[in-house]
PDB file of all heavy atoms in Angstrom:
ATOM      1  N   HIS A  48     102.991 101.664 108.506  1.00 96.00           N
ATOM      2  CA  HIS A  48     102.761 102.214 109.841  1.00 96.00           C
ATOM      3  C   HIS A  48     102.211 103.626 109.701  1.00 96.00           C
ATOM      4  O   HIS A  48     102.822 104.463 109.029  1.00 96.00           O
ATOM      5  CB  HIS A  48     104.071 102.284 110.633  1.00 96.00           C
ATOM      6  CG  HIS A  48     104.761 100.953 110.717  1.00 96.00           C
ATOM      7  ND1 HIS A  48     104.418  99.989 111.636  1.00 96.00           N
ATOM      8  CD2 HIS A  48     105.765 100.422 109.968  1.00 96.00           C
ATOM      9  CE1 HIS A  48     105.191  98.927 111.470  1.00 96.00           C
ATOM     10  NE2 HIS A  48     106.007  99.164 110.459  1.00 96.00           N
ATOM     11  N   ASN A  49     101.066 103.861 110.330  1.00 95.00           N
ATOM     12  CA  ASN A  49     100.563 105.232 110.377  1.00 95.00           C
ATOM     13  C   ASN A  49     101.303 105.933 111.505  1.00 95.00           C
ATOM     14  O   ASN A  49     100.919 105.831 112.668  1.00 95.00           O
ATOM     15  CB  ASN A  49      99.060 105.234 110.651  1.00 95.00           C
ATOM     16  CG  ASN A  49      98.377 106.309 109.862  1.00 95.00           C
ATOM     17  OD1 ASN A  49      97.802 106.017 108.829  1.00 95.00           O
ATOM     18  ND2 ASN A  49      98.481 107.534 110.312  1.00 95.00           N
ATOM     19  N   ASN A  50     102.394 106.584 111.163  1.00 95.00           N
ATOM     20  CA  ASN A  50     103.264 107.106 112.207  1.00 95.00           C
ATOM     21  C   ASN A  50     104.054 108.287 111.661  1.00 95.00           C
ATOM     22  O   ASN A  50     104.068 108.547 110.455  1.00 95.00           O
ATOM     23  CB  ASN A  50     104.219 105.987 112.670  1.00 95.00           C
ATOM     24  CG  ASN A  50     104.632 106.163 114.119  1.00 95.00           C
ATOM     25  OD1 ASN A  50     104.593 107.271 114.658  1.00 95.00           O
ATOM     26  ND2 ASN A  50     105.040 105.072 114.745  1.00 95.00           N
ATOM     27  N   PRO A 229     110.217 105.680 104.759  1.00 98.00           N
ATOM     28  CA  PRO A 229     109.577 106.351 105.898  1.00 98.00           C
ATOM     29  C   PRO A 229     108.665 107.523 105.522  1.00 98.00           C
ATOM     30  O   PRO A 229     108.097 108.155 106.413  1.00 98.00           O
ATOM     31  CB  PRO A 229     110.771 106.811 106.743  1.00 98.00           C
ATOM     32  CG  PRO A 229     111.907 106.912 105.792  1.00 98.00           C
ATOM     33  CD  PRO A 229     111.640 106.003 104.641  1.00 98.00           C
ATOM     34  N   PHE A 230     108.546 107.834 104.218  1.00 97.00           N
ATOM     35  CA  PHE A 230     107.647 108.912 103.752  1.00 97.00           C
ATOM     36  C   PHE A 230     106.888 108.354 102.551  1.00 97.00           C
ATOM     37  O   PHE A 230     107.120 108.762 101.407  1.00 97.00           O
ATOM     38  CB  PHE A 230     108.456 110.145 103.344  1.00 97.00           C
ATOM     39  CG  PHE A 230     109.242 110.773 104.466  1.00 97.00           C
ATOM     40  CD1 PHE A 230     110.573 110.452 104.682  1.00 97.00           C
ATOM     41  CD2 PHE A 230     108.637 111.694 105.325  1.00 97.00           C
ATOM     42  CE1 PHE A 230     111.296 111.038 105.721  1.00 97.00           C
ATOM     43  CE2 PHE A 230     109.353 112.287 106.364  1.00 97.00           C
ATOM     44  CZ  PHE A 230     110.692 111.955 106.564  1.00 97.00           C
ATOM     45  N   SER A 231     105.956 107.420 102.783  1.00 97.00           N
ATOM     46  CA  SER A 231     105.555 106.549 101.678  1.00 97.00           C
ATOM     47  C   SER A 231     104.391 107.027 100.831  1.00 97.00           C
ATOM     48  O   SER A 231     104.124 106.426  99.785  1.00 97.00           O
ATOM     49  CB  SER A 231     105.266 105.152 102.224  1.00 97.00           C
ATOM     50  OG  SER A 231     104.264 105.198 103.199  1.00 97.00           O
ATOM     51  N   GLY A 232     103.675 108.081 101.218  1.00 95.00           N
ATOM     52  CA  GLY A 232     102.600 108.611 100.365  1.00 95.00           C
ATOM     53  C   GLY A 232     101.626 107.522  99.941  1.00 95.00           C
ATOM     54  O   GLY A 232     101.071 106.797 100.770  1.00 95.00           O
ATOM     55  N   MET A 249     106.773 100.598 105.367  1.00 98.00           N
ATOM     56  CA  MET A 249     106.482 101.979 104.966  1.00 98.00           C
ATOM     57  C   MET A 249     105.901 102.740 106.155  1.00 98.00           C
ATOM     58  O   MET A 249     105.209 102.167 106.998  1.00 98.00           O
ATOM     59  CB  MET A 249     105.498 102.000 103.797  1.00 98.00           C
ATOM     60  CG  MET A 249     106.012 101.254 102.568  1.00 98.00           C
ATOM     61  SD  MET A 249     105.099 101.643 101.059  1.00 98.00           S
ATOM     62  CE  MET A 249     103.627 100.663 101.241  1.00 98.00           C
ATOM     63  N   VAL A 250     106.195 104.035 106.187  1.00 97.00           N
ATOM     64  CA  VAL A 250     105.679 104.902 107.241  1.00 97.00           C
ATOM     65  C   VAL A 250     105.041 106.109 106.558  1.00 97.00           C
ATOM     66  O   VAL A 250     105.629 106.689 105.641  1.00 97.00           O
ATOM     67  CB  VAL A 250     106.814 105.388 108.186  1.00 97.00           C
ATOM     68  CG1 VAL A 250     106.231 106.204 109.345  1.00 97.00           C
ATOM     69  CG2 VAL A 250     107.640 104.230 108.696  1.00 97.00           C
ATOM     70  N   GLU A 251     103.844 106.467 107.006  1.00 95.00           N
ATOM     71  CA  GLU A 251     103.128 107.615 106.413  1.00 95.00           C
ATOM     72  C   GLU A 251     102.186 108.150 107.477  1.00 95.00           C
ATOM     73  O   GLU A 251     101.457 107.381 108.090  1.00 95.00           O
ATOM     74  CB  GLU A 251     102.364 107.143 105.166  1.00 95.00           C
ATOM     75  CG  GLU A 251     101.291 108.074 104.655  1.00 95.00           C
ATOM     76  CD  GLU A 251     101.821 109.438 104.188  1.00 95.00           C
ATOM     77  OE1 GLU A 251     102.781 109.500 103.410  1.00 95.00           O
ATOM     78  OE2 GLU A 251     101.240 110.450 104.641  1.00 95.00           O
ATOM     79  N   TYR A 252     102.206 109.467 107.713  1.00 92.00           N
ATOM     80  CA  TYR A 252     101.333 109.948 108.776  1.00 92.00           C
ATOM     81  C   TYR A 252      99.959 110.401 108.292  1.00 92.00           C
ATOM     82  O   TYR A 252      99.102 110.676 109.110  1.00 92.00           O
ATOM     83  CB  TYR A 252     102.013 110.948 109.700  1.00 92.00           C
ATOM     84  CG  TYR A 252     102.404 112.307 109.166  1.00 92.00           C
ATOM     85  CD1 TYR A 252     101.987 112.787 107.950  1.00 92.00           C
ATOM     86  CD2 TYR A 252     103.197 113.137 109.962  1.00 92.00           C
ATOM     87  CE1 TYR A 252     102.349 114.036 107.508  1.00 92.00           C
ATOM     88  CE2 TYR A 252     103.565 114.395 109.533  1.00 92.00           C
ATOM     89  CZ  TYR A 252     103.154 114.837 108.308  1.00 92.00           C
ATOM     90  OH  TYR A 252     103.518 116.068 107.880  1.00 92.00           O
ATOM     91  N   GLY A 253      99.736 110.461 106.985  1.00 89.00           N
ATOM     92  CA  GLY A 253      98.405 110.807 106.489  1.00 89.00           C
ATOM     93  C   GLY A 253      97.582 109.539 106.316  1.00 89.00           C
ATOM     94  O   GLY A 253      97.980 108.647 105.565  1.00 89.00           O
ATOM     95  N   ASN A 256      96.396 108.558 102.756  1.00 90.00           N
ATOM     96  CA  ASN A 256      97.466 107.978 101.943  1.00 90.00           C
ATOM     97  C   ASN A 256      97.720 106.530 102.352  1.00 90.00           C
ATOM     98  O   ASN A 256      97.938 105.659 101.512  1.00 90.00           O
ATOM     99  CB  ASN A 256      98.757 108.787 102.114  1.00 90.00           C
ATOM    100  CG  ASN A 256      98.620 110.194 101.558  1.00 90.00           C
ATOM    101  OD1 ASN A 256      97.824 110.427 100.658  1.00 90.00           O
ATOM    102  ND2 ASN A 256      99.376 111.119 102.109  1.00 90.00           N
ATOM    103  N   HIS A 257      97.717 106.304 103.675  1.00 92.00           N
ATOM    104  CA  HIS A 257      97.912 104.955 104.200  1.00 92.00           C
ATOM    105  C   HIS A 257      96.878 104.000 103.600  1.00 92.00           C
ATOM    106  O   HIS A 257      97.213 102.930 103.082  1.00 92.00           O
ATOM    107  CB  HIS A 257      97.788 105.036 105.730  1.00 92.00           C
ATOM    108  CG  HIS A 257      97.832 103.725 106.453  1.00 92.00           C
ATOM    109  ND1 HIS A 257      98.302 103.611 107.728  1.00 92.00           N
ATOM    110  CD2 HIS A 257      97.444 102.471 106.098  1.00 92.00           C
ATOM    111  CE1 HIS A 257      98.235 102.347 108.116  1.00 92.00           C
ATOM    112  NE2 HIS A 257      97.696 101.645 107.149  1.00 92.00           N
TER     113      HIS A 257
END
Side-chain angles (χ1 to χ4, degrees):
H48 305 278
N49 218 100
N50 209 337
F230 297 95
S231 58
M249 301 196 281
V250 184
E251 164 63 50
Y252 67 11
N256 294 333
H257 175 151

